[in-house]
Amino acid sequence: MLEIKNLHVKLEEEDKQILKGVDLTVEAGKVHAIMGPNGSGKSTLSYVLSGRDGYEVTEGAASLGGEDILDMEAEERAAAGLFLAFQYPVEIPGVGNMTFLRTAVNAQRKARGEEEMSAAEFLKVVREKAKSLKIDADMLKRPVNVGFSGGEKKRNEILQMAMLEPKMCILDETDSGLDVDAMKLVAEGVNALRDAGRGFLVITHYQRLLDHIKPDVVHIMADGRIVKTGGPELALEVENNGYADILAEMA
Amino acid sequence: MRFAPVLTKPSAKRDADTAARLDVLGDIDATGCLAEARKTALARLTEMGLPHPRDEYWRYTKPDTLVQPQAPAAALHDASDEAPLYDGIDRLKVVFVDGVFDPAQSDSLEMAGIELCRLAELSDTDIHWSRDLYGVLEADGQVPVPRPLAALNTAYASDGIAIRATDKAARPVNLIYLHENTASDAMLHHVIKVEAGAELTVLENGPAAARFNACMEVDVAEGGAFHHVRAQGRDRERRTVTHIFTRLADEATFKSFTLTANGVLTRNEAIMDLQGNDCVAHVAGASLGDGGDFHHDDTVFVTHGGLNGESRQVFKKVLRNGATGVFQGKILVKEGAQKTDGYQISQSLLLDDDSQFLAKPELEIYADDVACSHGSTSGAIDEEGLFYLRSRGVPLAEATDLMTLAFLAEAIEEIDNAEIAEDITSRLGAWLERRRG
């Protein structure tokens, strides 16, 4: 589904190399997790893949379903099926959550040459999906993320994911700022979307999210590279011993 | 008092301009109960003279076309591409065409809770409540900053409406200004009295004329509330100068919002005098300008005279393709006006490098227990928000529009009535959509 080959990325503003040759393949139906110490390049990877400005790819490639995504605009990548759940979802005053969702859903459909969703159909679907994430009518009406608690913002991200039905979901530290109950709710939302045709890349600092979203593969990232890949047991190892052992082993 | 008037400097150009303008206007209406007010306004004006480009408050906005004897022509705008504003709102319509009251298009001037009277009819009567208000707040508002175009209006306004709310008005009064003559030069003056505990909403919309000079005096008694929402018409070539003078008694509320889209020259002045204790005065504006011929100026003067007064100024301007926005806002807190809470924000969203925003925020405080804050910013669109929207599949142009609406949101939130706010928002959205590449 998602194929990253020898990806090298530096910051546009300063001559600083962040990713130094990332190789990663996420198959459809699988959940891959990336763990790693601060500054290892995890978030940068999610931004580069989703098309944020400010990064320059100096070498390597990334494709989604066989299609090169690095030359696409952010909205084209979204229409191609890529979704990034933000670590810090952005507040957009004056734009109703529902309006935003509908604009996004229909923009993607239009870009793919599909028919737009009618207002009635949209309403029915969004209400159903919001309910399972415990998002009430008021949250749907309010401006996007404005005045939302940390948990509400993350649930709102998952609602967007559910509505947009992407092929490849990247979750950037979705567990940050969440209490246990909120994390469970978010994880349930994600698990409900697990599907044979959909890939997941879960970026996290902690094992605890992976108790709820069970990964098939765990990667350890350090200094801009994937340094170790294993099964779920690798996350436990990190939880128990920290990164030091693994990094020392690599050195 | 310490607040010495800002005197207009002697100038031969000013004298000549003023004489030329008055020459075209001729004699004032010397009949009826407003005659005295007109006479003293003319005397005020003659002493001040019309605005001059070197005047302190006319540095950023050229007064020439507002001052010149004849109105510059303005092409008519075909507004058939959108439904009339406030269409779904039950309201009493008062229609003026090029500054002339049109009874055929207006509703009957009767409504529970309020009294309405055409200004032109007051020429035939000697006694009317509006005599004690007409030109009075305008005259008070000439100190410390002279506002000659308002004095000109008091002296020469040909029509307008007097509204007295004695109770909660059953529905809003909608003043609709149609523009049908490319050379029209209109002056309207409205006097509004909101009695103790009464409530009134006044909606205004439309370009009114090629050149429009409007003056509104609003006196709000104890516990009264006045709401005002205005949309100034999309005619590209129109020129507009407006003044709103308000005086607030104890626990009175005044809230005004203005939407301006297009117009080569718009100058909106709001002069708010919080005389009573515990009063609230909010003034907000959202303006959208596209092109080097767009010039929009908000000039505000808030005076806190009572205790616990709350004032808010929220102005947002979206400028592109060389448009110019101006904000001059002042908060004056008088001695003894303790616990004043004054807030002022003026922001521009510059969608390119050619547009400019000129802001002059001022605070003058003579009380020691007050909270006044002000801020002014100019910036480009929020990249973070833009990326968020695009990452959800919203194309750049549409995402830019949504972020523009987000920028304007704080001003629109000043409209208390949700239905009206939605109407205004859809206007903004439509304006943006028409300009989408």
Side-chain angles (χ1 to χ4, degrees):
Chain A
M1 179 60 64
L2 177 69
E3 204 165 345
I4 305 167
K5 276 187 190 153
N6 193 30
L7 191 64
H8 286 68
V9 171
K10 72 179 187 73
L11 292 180
E12 244 168 34
E13 296 277 309
E14 44 191 306
D15 196 23
K16 192 179 170 194
Q17 201 72 34
I18 308 285
L19 300 184
K20 302 172 181 173
V22 175
D23 285 289
L24 180 67
T25 300
V26 180
E27 309 81 5
K30 299 286 185 201
V31 174
H32 284 230
I34 295 188
M35 301 181 77
N38 291 325
S40 55
K42 306 187 298 293
S43 285
T44 295
L45 178 64
S46 72
Y47 288 143
V48 169
L49 292 174
S50 53
R52 189 188 179 115
D53 286 341
Y55 302 96
E56 192 187 328
V57 175
T58 51
E59 208 183 325
S63 63
L64 181 68
E67 209 178 346
D68 177 17
I69 56 169
L70 293 180
D71 284 333
M72 293 183 186
E73 297 292 350
E75 56 267 36
E76 293 168 339
R77 300 182 198 201
L82 189 72
F83 182 92
L84 169 66
F86 280 51
Q87 183 179 1
Y88 303 109
V90 183
E91 297 188 4
I92 305 180
V95 178
N97 210 7
M98 197 84 113
T99 309
F100 163 59
L101 274 171
R102 193 160 165 233
T103 305
V105 167
N106 282 336
Q108 290 202 12
R109 289 187 166 221
K110 207 171 147 192
R112 291 194 293 258
E114 299 165 12
E115 204 175 317
E116 292 188 12
M117 218 176 197
S118 75
E121 189 190 355
F122 174 80
L123 206 63
K124 186 171 156 271
V125 178
V126 80
R127 277 193 183 139
E128 197 178 294
K129 301 201 173 189
K131 202 176 160 195
S132 63
L133 285 159
K134 299 206 170 115
I135 289 174
D136 60 20
D138 183 52
M139 255 177 83
L140 286 173
K141 239 166 77 182
R142 268 151 58 189
V144 180
N145 294 325
V146 177
F148 286 24
S149 70
E152 285 174 335
K153 282 182 181 168
K154 295 296 169 75
R155 263 145 58 202
N156 204 29
E157 292 292 287
I158 307 304
L159 175 64
Q160 292 167 34
M161 193 193 280
M163 288 304 297
L164 294 168
E165 299 180 324
K167 292 184 205 155
M168 179 68 217
C169 307
I170 303 172
L171 283 74
D172 186 11
E173 303 207 17
T174 292
D175 51 336
S176 70
L178 294 187
D179 59 36
V180 180
D181 293 333
M183 190 165 63
K184 272 188 190 162
L185 200 56
V186 165
E188 278 168 24
V190 172
N191 289 331
L193 289 169
R194 289 181 77 155
D195 177 290
R198 186 171 288 141
F200 283 86
L201 186 60
V202 180
I203 295 171
T204 182
H205 268 295
Y206 305 105
Q207 145 72 19
R208 60 172 197 171
L209 178 67
L210 303 179
D211 285 339
H212 302 286
I213 304 173
K214 300 238 184 291
D216 299 296
V217 183
V218 175
H219 307 274
I220 306 297
M221 193 163 178
D223 193 27
R225 288 184 196 89
I226 304 285
V227 294
K228 191 167 184 179
T229 297
E233 74 287 347
L234 189 54
L236 284 169
E237 192 188 325
V238 168
E239 182 78 1
N240 294 331
N241 308 328
Y243 294 111
D245 288 359
I246 297 168
L247 297 185
E249 193 180 307
M250 295 297 115
Chain B
M1 270 284 139
R2 260 177 267 207
F3 322 112
V6 179
L7 294 170
T8 52
K9 297 177 195 88
S11 144
K13 174 176 162 33
R14 188 198 311 279
D15 293 345
D17 284 351
T18 307
R21 180 72 174 119
L22 295 182
D23 191 45
V24 168
L25 288 165
D27 293 333
I28 56 169
D29 180 359
T31 59
C33 67
L34 306 181
E36 192 57 31
R38 290 184 186 277
K39 210 171 103 189
T40 53
L42 182 59
R44 270 198 297 283
L45 172 67
T46 314
E47 196 176 327
M48 290 186 268
L50 285 167
H52 183 282
R54 303 264 276 284
D55 291 347
E56 178 65 24
Y57 285 86
W58 288 95
R59 283 194 183 162
Y60 303 138
T61 297
K62 287 197 192 95
D64 317 32
T65 54
L66 297 173
V67 165
Q68 70 184 55
Q70 306 289 351
L76 303 179
H77 168 73
D78 176 10
S80 59
D81 60 348
E82 56 189 352
L85 197 62
Y86 317 130
D87 222 16
I89 292 159
D90 184 21
R91 68 223 140 105
L92 186 147
K93 286 182 276 191
V94 181
V95 180
F96 295 89
V97 180
D98 292 300
V100 180
F101 176 71
D102 182 353
Q105 296 192 67
S106 301
D107 293 329
S108 116
L109 301 184
E110 279 167 20
M111 196 207 300
I114 65 170
E115 291 168 18
L116 293 128
C117 178
R118 265 186 75 192
L119 209 75
E121 285 171 9
L122 295 175
S123 296
D124 305 329
T125 169
D126 285 332
I127 300 168
H128 191 263
W129 62 265
S130 58
R131 194 183 62 179
D132 299 328
L133 195 54
Y134 188 89
V136 172
L137 303 189
E138 175 261 298
D140 287 351
Q142 297 290 350
V143 180
V145 180
R147 308 178 194 280
L149 291 165
L152 179 80
N153 182 297
T154 301
Y156 285 100
S158 56
D159 212 339
I161 193 125
I163 311 174
R164 181 164 162 254
T166 52
D167 202 343
K168 291 185 166 78
R171 47 202 175 117
V173 174
N174 184 191
L175 307 177
I176 299 169
Y177 307 122
L178 305 179
H179 174 206
E180 293 179 358
N181 176 341
T182 55
S184 56
D185 191 12
M187 266 193 251
L188 294 176
H189 194 118
H190 310 300
V191 281
I192 296 166
K193 192 166 172 58
V194 180
E195 300 287 3
E199 283 176 24
L200 175 68
T201 297
V202 170
L203 308 174
E204 293 184 283
N205 63 295
R211 181 167 70 179
F212 183 39
N213 178 332
C215 185
M216 185 186 276
E217 296 176 277
V218 185
D219 192 22
V220 189
E222 287 81 4
F226 177 75
H227 292 265
H228 175 234
V229 178
R230 168 169 67 178
Q232 297 189 290
R234 280 164 48 206
D235 301 39
R236 218 175 160 93
E237 295 170 354
R238 65 162 179 80
R239 288 176 163 78
T240 307
V241 57
T242 73
H243 290 84
I244 298 180
F245 297 92
T246 188
R247 175 171 68 190
L248 305 179
D250 290 351
E251 295 179 21
T253 300
F254 171 93
K255 290 189 181 180
S256 172
F257 171 89
T258 300
L259 163 68
T260 311
N262 305 347
V264 283
L265 177 57
T266 307
R267 161 97 160 199
N268 293 325
E269 298 202 22
I271 300 91
M272 314 196 291
D273 192 2
L274 288 77
Q275 292 189 350
N277 297 328
D278 305 298
C279 34
V280 172
H282 293 190
V283 58
S287 61
L288 300 163
D290 186 352
D293 58 353
F294 176 87
H295 185 102
H296 183 273
D297 174 334
D298 283 299
T299 294
V300 179
F301 200 108
V302 184
T303 306
H304 282 271
L307 297 170
N308 291 318
E310 178 198 308
S311 68
R312 277 174 72 82
Q313 304 169 47
V314 181
F315 289 94
K316 303 269 186 161
K317 298 176 200 283
V318 177
L319 305 168
R320 58 190 270 184
N321 292 324
T324 300
V326 174
F327 173 76
Q328 309 182 96
K330 178 158 182 171
I331 304 175
L332 168 64
V333 182
K334 287 187 176 178
E335 219 169 297
Q338 303 294 13
K339 305 284 179 194
T340 284
D341 180 2
Y343 174 75
Q344 179 194 88
I345 183 92
S346 64
Q347 295 181 307
S348 72
L349 176 61
L350 304 176
L351 293 173
D352 53 52
D353 295 336
D354 303 329
S355 303
Q356 61 169 343
F357 178 53
L358 305 158
K360 190 172 78 169
E362 294 177 277
L363 293 177
E364 193 175 335
I365 302 174
Y366 296 98
D368 55 11
D369 185 13
V370 302
C372 281
S373 60
H374 67 101
S376 184
T377 64
S378 280
I381 214 131
D382 172 30
E383 287 292 333
E384 191 76 19
L386 204 57
F387 172 61
Y388 188 63
L389 293 173
R390 295 177 75 188
S391 78
R392 298 302 180 246
V394 182
L396 179 61
E398 215 173 334
T400 304
D401 285 358
L402 286 175
M403 289 313 296
T404 304
L405 284 176
F407 165 78
L408 294 168
E410 190 187 358
I412 296 160
E413 279 163 16
E414 292 294 322
I415 303 171
D416 282 358
N417 181 308
E419 209 179 341
I420 295 173
E422 198 156 309
D423 231 12
I424 293 289
T425 304
S426 70
R427 288 268 143 164
L428 290 166
W431 188 93
L432 293 167
E433 203 176 321
R434 283 190 296 271
R435 269 152 192 82
R436 201 181 285 163

